[in-house]
């Protein structure tokens, strides 16, 4: 096995996501295989959504659905289609207790703890969907929590600190379809090989570069950012940084994961708490980033330590290479 300059090892064998998760599972005697079924369901949904995204313009499923979601944001037709695909793939898996989605006001109880519901699955079914009509990368973000059968109320069940996540990851529908996942033991990356219809392992134990002179933020809002963020941007302008902002969190975070740098969504007038949602955007991405050696903050607290109060709670996001995040934080103090 050779180690490339990026610090992760390309797999020499042909390993599918399915077989990788099953192999990982054998390392944990208590594992029952139920968890693997959930990853398998998300993988199935990802393939189906990838197909929809690739044919969106041909199948005329682009554009707005004409409704707003609970976030008060215009839903894209593919937001709703992707949401339904994930529900249909996950609902049939015996170990799923609760499903929570960006697109639904309340979580959906599939089965109670005493009926075998061991896990809660939260997701942003289609992240960056406003980019769909212009062919830019979009994604699905997911977070898996343990179900606490003693908690009866669904929203309270899923309001767990990000540090308690059992697994997290995303699927990027970009120039290729990527599946990036962590179960708390490092970050692994898979690429969908359409010829075999499987996600194949291409990188095991991804490590984010410690530094990177790239910042990713919607600079149009910078006049509204708290002062410290503006001071960091002034520093970056004077010190040879480049700016990359796609407007899809999954694509911006994936680039940051591979190339290093820092991704920020600070508080703005319109979103004084930040725009991104804690439970199914910030937390899963924070777990991925920290498992790859980076760090993630929301204001002056580590994102994964925040005790959520509401399902659709928003937080500021500052994540990326450890050195770069600390540099931004030095301006925020
Ligand atoms: P979603 O499409 O799921 O609502 O998420 C969009 C988010 C995120 O993907 C991205 O980082 C951010 O919105 C971009 O927001 P701005 O357009 O305000 O920069
Ligand atoms: Mn999103
Ligand atoms: Mn979304």
């Amino acid at each position: 096995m050779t180690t490339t300059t990026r610090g992760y090892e390309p797999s020499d064998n042909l390993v599918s996501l399915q077989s990788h998760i099953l192999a990982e599972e054998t390392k944990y005697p208590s594992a029952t295989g139920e968890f693997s079924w959930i990853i398998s369901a998300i993988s199935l949904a990802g393939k189906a959504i990838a197909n929809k995204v690739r044919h969106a313009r041909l199948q005329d499923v682009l554009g707005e659905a004409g409704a707003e979601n609970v976030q008060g944001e215009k839903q894209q037709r593919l937001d709703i289609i992707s949401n339904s695909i994930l529900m249909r793939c996950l609902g049939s898996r015996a170990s799923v207790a609760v499903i929570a989605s960006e697109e639904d006001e309340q979580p959906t109880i599939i089965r109670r703890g005493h009926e075998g519901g061991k896990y809660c699955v939260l997701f942003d079914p289609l992240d960056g969907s406003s980019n769909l009509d212009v062919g830019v990368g979009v994604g699905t973000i997911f977070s898996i929590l343990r179900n606490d059968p003693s908690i009866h109320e669904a929203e309270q069940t899923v309001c767990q600190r990000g540090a308690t996540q059992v697994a997290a990851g995303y699927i990027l529908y970009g120039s290729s379809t990527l599946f990036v996942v962590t179960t708390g033991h490092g970050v692994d990356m898979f690429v969908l090989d359409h010829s075999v219809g499987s996600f194949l392992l291409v990188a095991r134990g991804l490590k984010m570069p410690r530094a990177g002179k790239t910042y990713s933020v919607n600079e149009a809002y910078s006049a509204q950012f708290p002062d410290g963020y503006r001071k960091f941007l002034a520093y970056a302008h004077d010190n040879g940084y480049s700016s990359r902002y796609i407007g899809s969190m999954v694509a911006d975070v994936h680039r940051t994961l591979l190339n290093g740098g820092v991704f920020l969504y600070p508080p703005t007038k319109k979103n004084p708490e930040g725009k991104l949602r804690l439970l199914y955007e910030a937390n899963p991405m924070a777990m991925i980033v920290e498992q790859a050696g980076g760090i993630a903050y929301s204001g002056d607290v580590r994102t994964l330590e925040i005790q959520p109060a509401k399902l659709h709670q928003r937080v500021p996001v500052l994540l990326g290479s450890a050195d770069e995040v600390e540099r931004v934080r030095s301006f925020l103090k």
Side-chain angles (χ1 to χ4, degrees), residues 102 124 126-128 141 277 281:
E102 171 188 291
D124 175 354
L126 206 57
D127 172 69
I141 310 172
R277 278 61 51 129
E281 288 175 317

Side-chain angles (χ1 to χ4, degrees), residues 10-333:
S11 162
D12 298 336
N13 306 314
L14 201 55
V15 177
S16 73
L17 173 61
Q18 209 74 12
S19 45
H20 179 72
I21 292 288
L22 288 172
E24 289 298 296
E25 202 178 273
T26 57
K27 295 178 188 168
Y28 310 102
S30 59
T32 59
E34 291 166 306
F35 173 73
S36 309
W37 275 115
I38 294 180
I39 297 288
S40 150
I42 295 171
S43 156
L44 176 63
K47 293 176 201 170
I49 295 169
N51 184 49
K52 282 287 176 196
V53 166
R54 304 236 170 279
H55 297 92
R57 195 161 284 286
L58 293 171
Q59 292 176 359
D60 187 25
V61 288
L62 284 174
E64 291 178 3
E68 283 194 346
N69 61 15
V70 61
Q71 327 274 340
E73 289 159 352
K74 287 194 174 38
Q75 281 180 313
Q76 303 293 317
R77 290 160 69 187
L78 264 178
D79 280 327
I80 296 171
I81 292 167
S82 306
N83 197 46
S84 152
I85 289 171
L86 276 154
M87 297 298 266
R88 286 163 50 213
C89 289
L90 283 161
S92 61
R93 303 294 162 133
S95 56
V96 176
V98 177
I99 294 179
S101 165
E102 171 188 291
E103 300 304 332
D104 298 326
E105 181 153 12
Q106 292 301 329
T108 305
I109 296 175
I110 305 289
R111 59 185 63 74
R112 291 278 180 204
H114 63 268
E115 295 163 325
K118 280 179 73 175
Y119 299 101
C120 303
V121 184
L122 297 79
F123 51 77
D124 175 354
L126 206 57
D127 172 69
S129 50
S130 57
N131 277 318
L132 266 171
D133 296 18
V134 295
V136 171
V138 294
T140 297
I141 310 172
F142 61 89
S143 169
I144 302 176
L145 298 166
R146 281 185 188 76
N147 178 38
D148 178 346
S150 67
I151 300 177
H152 200 70
E153 209 273 322
E155 183 165 15
Q156 205 192 337
T157 303
V158 297
C159 281
Q160 299 178 31
R161 286 178 313 113
T164 66
Q165 290 175 105
V166 176
Y170 55 84
I171 303 164
L172 172 59
Y173 312 108
S175 49
S176 56
T177 302
L178 304 174
F179 196 108
V180 176
V181 60
T182 180
T183 57
H185 306 279
V187 177
D188 300 319
M189 178 163 76
F190 303 79
V191 175
L192 181 59
D193 180 334
H194 291 273
S195 61
V196 296
S198 290
F199 282 105
L200 300 184
L201 182 67
V202 291
R204 194 194 295 266
L206 267 171
K207 284 297 170 207
M208 177 185 272
R210 257 205 85 76
K213 287 192 159 187
T214 301
Y215 67 85
S216 183
V217 68
N218 189 334
E219 213 148 352
Y221 305 144
S222 58
Q224 307 171 31
F225 295 160
D227 213 25
Y229 293 100
R230 287 209 297 275
K231 286 191 180 122
F232 164 71
L233 290 177
Y235 167 86
H237 296 157
D238 294 341
N239 287 273
Y241 280 64
S242 71
S243 167
R244 288 285 181 279
Y245 192 69
I246 299 165
S248 294
M249 184 186 196
V250 175
D252 282 317
V253 171
H254 186 67
R255 182 201 54 251
T256 306
L257 177 71
L258 293 188
N259 295 349
V262 61
F263 171 81
L264 313 93
Y265 205 110
T268 61
K269 275 203 190 75
K270 184 180 171 206
N271 290 300
E273 296 303 312
K275 173 182 183 182
L276 300 173
R277 278 61 51 129
L278 173 60
L279 281 172
Y280 43 80
E281 288 175 317
N283 270 343
M285 289 311 201
M287 183 178 185
I288 287 278
V289 161
E290 297 211 348
Q291 282 289 315
I295 44 178
Y297 273 85
S298 292
D300 52 9
V301 292
R302 267 186 69 234
T303 303
L304 296 175
E305 288 309 321
I306 297 174
Q307 174 53 54
K310 303 294 285 171
L311 169 58
H312 301 293
Q313 175 174 342
R314 297 172 190 262
V315 291
V317 171
L318 163 59
L319 60 79
S321 298
D323 293 359
E324 303 303 335
V325 170
E326 288 308 339
R327 194 185 323 281
V328 178
R329 281 171 37 82
S330 69
F331 289 101
L332 297 183
K333 282 177 183 129

